[in-house]
Amino acid sequence: MRGVNVALGAAGLAAFLALGEAVPRLGLVKEAYFPPTTRVADALAGELADGAFWTALGDTLTGWALGLAIAAGAGIVVGVVVSVVPYLREATASTIEFLRPIPSVALIPLAVLLYGTQLRSVLLLVVYASFWQILIQVLYGVQDVDPVAEETARSYGLGTWARIRHVLWPTALPYVMTGVRLAAAVALILAITAELVIGAPGLGARIAVAQTSQAVPEMYALILVTGLLGLLINVGARTVERRALAWHQSVRGEVAV
Amino acid sequence: MRRLLAGLAAGTFLLATAACGSSGGSGTSGKAASSGGVTTVKLGLIPIVDVAPVYLGVQKGLYEKHGLKLSITTAQGGAAIVPGVVSGQFQFGFSNVTSLMVAQSNNVPVKAVSNGIASTGVQGKDFNALMVKKGSAIKSAKDLEGKKVAINTLKNINETAVRESVRKAGGDPGKVKFVELAFDQMAAALDKGQVDAVCVVEPATATVRSQGGVQIASPLVDVAPNLTVALYFSSQQYAQQNPDVVKKFQAATAESLAYADQHPDEVRQIVTTYTKIPASVLEQVTLPKWPAEPNRSSIEALEKLGEQDGLFKSTPDLDKLLP
């Protein structure tokens, strides 16, 4: 089953790359603006041989990982606290719904003013965008706690911490993992966008330099790298999710079928 | 596994608080560090051909000679550089003259310290050009009435310049439709017919030319002969508190500009170190002029036109702004 999936996935990607080669070659799009896959691959080889590319990749991954970690930590803690403390949920609900839709990129001027073009500017945007993803999932997860289980735990005399640990957390974990998986993708997009727009060091800044330099194949090569990075991050997040939830019926059921 | 996750969560929380804690001290990072007679200053630049003299000056040791060590930070456009300098993230920055005048008229405390770049002043042979597609019916800037012209930023230096080109050709600039588009996208937009004309700068000018684009005006040349286009600037506060550093920066930059102006081959060489302009394009690029001093009368002309177009809240005070 797994082998077939991988083969199908690879076939899809190969077809896409072939299309990328054919479209400009057939003259549907001008080669100058959309170079064929082979020329992009050439440019990619050039990038891979350049030390500065690896530094940029490292910068982007640092911004992504650090931002995601901060957002996950803060999202989980805030989510649990808001849910557990009486009235806090009602008191914060409208504020959360007000702040959540604000696009992270709208905060770029603020980020520049506070931190210039440094990593912290990227982190501000990444954390802002991915924090809500995780927080909302944690809130939903806590809401899903079976009241009977909760009451049972109470009548057995379990304290607040024990109830969080044994009742709330196992119920919320699948939601938390979904939140982290979504946030991982959002964090990557925001890290690269921030670099692209602000100019903080990383793949995004490299794309921007290629763009303003009219180096079109290099630009697409770098865009391809960001796509691959997204793919890897998604695969990684799914793996972590499967491992962490191996005990949960949603994952166990999948294996049994 | 659960314990691991709990540990992970606690760890990230600590990391978050640590990151917040250290960011509190960022205000002091703007201060110039001085050691052994050499002052390190941060300079915010856009990675374009225009700033080549600074890179060349660093390579040739001109800044070192004046006791300065430049820490160059590249940003993606003036939107990051002006706030960066004003908030003290950078001590110096690079920006076009109109942006600085707009900032000044809005009471943003900017102070120009050195010349940046100037137009070549030669009609048809400038780094900035107003161009139309090969075979277009538009023959002069006057024909742009009712047409769509792409410029990189609305209400800025290039809009002022294109309006002046239309005016000089006998047209009404009020009838031109301006659309905002990044320089690097202009060639494709012109080719596709999404816009009727583009106001481009190098290296996009070379790209449009290589596609057979026809130049109908040199907008910056139309504003004033030898127009000063961009300047290096600082914040008023920094310039007041560190007059000696500013003096060193001025002297080193003036030497770098003069050197770059006389060594175009070395300029083309150094550009490849911080941009990705392909060698084939770089050969075709028209370099700007790099005079050591800004040309005040040309800036006054630009100011007058900007005021006419309603760019400024109040008249910019050039005595306060210029070095």
Side-chain angles (χ1 to χ4, degrees), chain B residues 207-274:
Chain B
T207 306
V208 176
R209 198 171 282 135
S210 72
Q211 287 165 3
V214 180
Q215 181 164 353
I216 55 169
S218 296
L220 296 178
V221 182
D222 284 334
V223 171
N226 309 316
L227 174 69
T228 297
V229 178
L231 297 162
Y232 292 95
F233 69 102
S234 185
S235 70
Q236 270 169 16
Q237 194 195 11
Y238 185 81
Q240 263 163 23
Q241 288 171 357
N242 303 276
D244 48 324
V245 179
V246 170
K247 247 180 222 148
K248 287 176 189 172
F249 183 83
Q250 280 169 334
T253 305
E255 276 183 43
S256 303
L257 292 168
Y259 186 88
D261 217 30
Q262 283 151 22
H263 299 84
D265 291 340
E266 289 185 43
V267 166
R268 284 178 213 271
Q269 185 53 45
I270 199 117
V271 166
T272 61
T273 62
Y274 65 92

Side-chain angles (χ1 to χ4, degrees), chain B residues 28-321:
Chain B
T28 52
S29 66
K31 273 264 178 262
S34 181
S35 64
V38 178
T39 312
T40 302
V41 289
K42 279 193 202 154
L43 171 62
L45 295 179
I46 315 166
I48 48 172
V49 177
D50 308 26
V51 297
V54 172
Y55 283 92
L56 209 50
V58 170
Q59 194 193 49
K60 294 284 160 197
L62 298 176
Y63 285 91
E64 210 177 323
K65 194 179 89 185
H66 289 276
L68 282 184
K69 189 174 180 306
L70 288 193
S71 158
I72 296 177
T73 309
T74 51
Q76 214 51 51
I81 293 181
V82 173
V85 168
V86 173
S87 68
Q89 303 287 340
F90 317 130
Q91 281 78 52
F92 298 100
F94 178 86
S95 179
N96 84 60
V97 182
T98 298
S99 294
L100 290 177
M101 288 195 287
V102 169
Q104 215 254 353
S105 76
N106 284 319
N107 289 321
V108 177
V110 288
K111 171 80 189 165
V113 294
S114 290
N115 194 25
I117 62 161
S119 128
T120 61
V122 185
Q123 278 291 349
K125 280 190 182 141
D126 197 9
F127 66 92
N128 163 296
L130 185 59
M131 296 175 102
V132 294
K133 202 177 168 175
K134 188 179 173 183
S136 167
I138 300 165
K139 300 292 175 209
S140 84
K142 185 183 185 300
D143 303 336
L144 290 177
E145 286 181 354
K147 297 287 196 296
K148 256 195 236 169
V149 180
I151 48 169
N152 68 321
T153 315
L154 293 171
K155 303 265 167 218
N156 210 304
I157 187 163
N158 286 316
E159 184 178 322
T160 304
V162 172
R163 280 170 175 274
E164 181 61 5
S165 288
V166 174
R167 216 174 272 133
K168 279 205 165 162
D172 178 3
K175 290 183 180 157
V176 180
K177 287 178 221 151
F178 290 101
V179 275
E180 197 167 284
L181 205 61
F183 285 129
D184 49 85
Q185 290 150 26
M186 287 184 182
L190 186 66
D191 204 35
K192 266 252 148 191
Q194 283 153 348
V195 291
D196 302 296
V198 293
C199 175
V200 276
V201 301
E202 297 290 7
T205 313
T207 306
V208 176
R209 198 171 282 135
S210 72
Q211 287 165 3
V214 180
Q215 181 164 353
I216 55 169
S218 296
L220 296 178
V221 182
D222 284 334
V223 171
N226 309 316
L227 174 69
T228 297
V229 178
L231 297 162
Y232 292 95
F233 69 102
S234 185
S235 70
Q236 270 169 16
Q237 194 195 11
Y238 185 81
Q240 263 163 23
Q241 288 171 357
N242 303 276
D244 48 324
V245 179
V246 170
K247 247 180 222 148
K248 287 176 189 172
F249 183 83
Q250 280 169 334
T253 305
E255 276 183 43
S256 303
L257 292 168
Y259 186 88
D261 217 30
Q262 283 151 22
H263 299 84
D265 291 340
E266 289 185 43
V267 166
R268 284 178 213 271
Q269 185 53 45
I270 199 117
V271 166
T272 61
T273 62
Y274 65 92
T275 76
K276 284 174 169 289
I277 302 178
S280 56
V281 175
L282 200 55
E283 279 170 27
Q284 311 295 324
V285 162
T286 306
L287 295 178
K289 280 279 165 201
W290 285 295
E293 297 296 329
N295 178 339
R296 176 153 178 152
S297 66
S298 77
I299 296 172
E300 281 166 357
L302 187 66
E303 183 191 27
K304 209 171 276 171
L305 291 174
E307 215 164 15
Q308 195 177 331
D309 294 338
L311 255 55
F312 311 123
K313 253 190 196 159
S314 57
T315 310
D317 186 346
L318 291 186
D319 289 328
K320 261 193 191 167
L321 178 66

Side-chain angles (χ1 to χ4, degrees), chain A residues 60-61 63-65 68 104-105 108 122 125-127 129-130 133 181-197 203-205 207 226-227 229-231 233:
Chain A
T60 298
L61 286 176
W64 167 78
L68 182 62
S104 206
V105 283
I108 283 178
V122 176
L125 304 190
V126 170
V127 171
S130 31
Q133 304 273 348
R181 182 160 48 79
L182 295 175
V186 169
L188 180 70
I189 294 169
L190 261 300
I192 290 167
T193 308
E195 291 159 3
L196 191 73
V197 179
L203 287 176
I207 292 174
T226 61
L229 214 55
L231 189 71
I233 283 172

